[in-house]
Amino acid sequence: MSVTRKQYDWSETRPSMAVPEYISAITGREQTDFAPLYDAIDPEALDALVQSDSPVSVSFEHAGHSITVRSDGEVVVQTVTASIGR
């Protein structure tokens, strides 16, 4: 399993925009290669939850990755690497 992390400033980047951008960056694929984020989570709800004044962590699956978005600006993406014979 591969885990990557990136820190964002939610006053400059909406969480619903950061997730697809980050997945695209770490996979080297275009955002249009993946299903829209709204297939996994309501983008407006994600933005509202994460940009609230309370400490919040939202986790969901998208584009073959396990994603956690935190109110402190951190996005954590876990990629599971398939192993043959295990």
Side-chain angles (χ1 to χ4, degrees):
M1 181 181 323
S2 171
V3 178
T4 57
R5 301 170 187 273
K6 184 167 182 175
Q7 194 70 35
Y8 287 89
D9 178 350
W10 296 142
S11 67
E12 295 180 13
T13 306
R14 290 189 330 245
S16 62
M17 297 302 296
V19 170
E21 288 173 4
Y22 190 39
I23 292 175
S24 178
I26 62 175
T27 62
R29 296 173 58 195
E30 295 293 323
Q31 291 182 35
T32 55
D33 291 343
F34 304 107
L37 184 62
Y38 62 76
D39 283 355
I41 192 168
D42 180 329
E44 291 177 11
L46 175 65
D47 292 345
L49 284 169
V50 174
Q51 292 176 314
S52 70
D53 292 333
S54 301
V56 174
S57 176
V58 178
S59 296
F60 57 96
E61 301 286 325
H62 179 60
H65 299 83
S66 176
I67 300 159
T68 300
V69 182
R70 297 189 172 120
S71 57
D72 67 0
E74 185 177 52
V75 175
V76 180
V77 177
Q78 296 179 358
T79 306
V80 179
T81 305
S83 298
I84 298 175
R86 288 190 187 188

